[in-house]
Amino acid sequence: NDFACGVVTAGGTITAIGASSLSKAKALAEKVKAEKAHGSYQELVEDPNVDVVYVGTIHTLHLPHATMALKAGKHVVCEKPLAVNAVEAQEIVDLARSKGLFLMEAMWTRFFPI
């Protein structure tokens, strides 16, 4: 939420919002003037207009959500921590490398857009 608002405040645009429910996605999409709201993360990564996925879910879901996006061919910016342990982090890194996709762990103090 904060990251999405920061992107818009800095002059950026957000193509789509994905959330665990359509009502949550619509609420944030309206707030940040995103074109689309998706009621699942799978729908978001299947959206052909989405190039990069920001993973901001709780850290225990970073592995499944980051790998879902990478498997769908999307670049990923993942909130810290990237994973809960080194094995999971390496799995995400290896998948990104094998697909030639950008992957970055976002440290808000360095990458927050405002």
Side-chain angles (χ1 to χ4, degrees):
N1 193 331
D2 290 342
F3 185 83
C5 292
V7 167
V8 173
T9 300
T13 58
I14 297 174
T15 301
I17 297 290
S20 58
S21 72
L22 186 55
S23 61
K24 289 179 182 180
K26 283 182 176 180
L28 183 54
E30 184 177 324
K31 186 175 183 179
V32 298
K33 298 178 177 53
E35 297 171 17
K36 284 186 175 178
H38 296 289
S40 75
Y41 301 115
Q42 187 65 46
E43 289 176 18
L44 176 70
V45 302
E46 290 173 355
D47 186 330
N49 295 315
V50 172
D51 298 317
V52 180
V53 172
Y54 175 78
V55 176
T57 53
I58 61 172
H59 65 278
T60 54
L61 293 177
H62 288 181
L63 173 66
H65 290 161
T67 56
M68 179 190 309
L70 291 165
K71 287 177 180 178
K74 309 299 182 185
H75 304 284
V76 172
V77 176
C78 186
E79 188 57 58
K80 67 171 183 59
L82 178 62
V84 296
N85 59 49
V87 172
E88 287 188 4
Q90 193 63 57
E91 183 179 337
I92 299 168
V93 169
D94 290 346
L95 180 58
R97 284 183 178 154
S98 74
K99 294 190 149 288
L101 295 168
F102 179 81
L103 169 67
M104 182 178 76
E105 179 181 49
M107 299 292 292
W108 78 268
T109 53
R110 175 117 172 123
F111 297 104
F112 198 73
I114 56 172

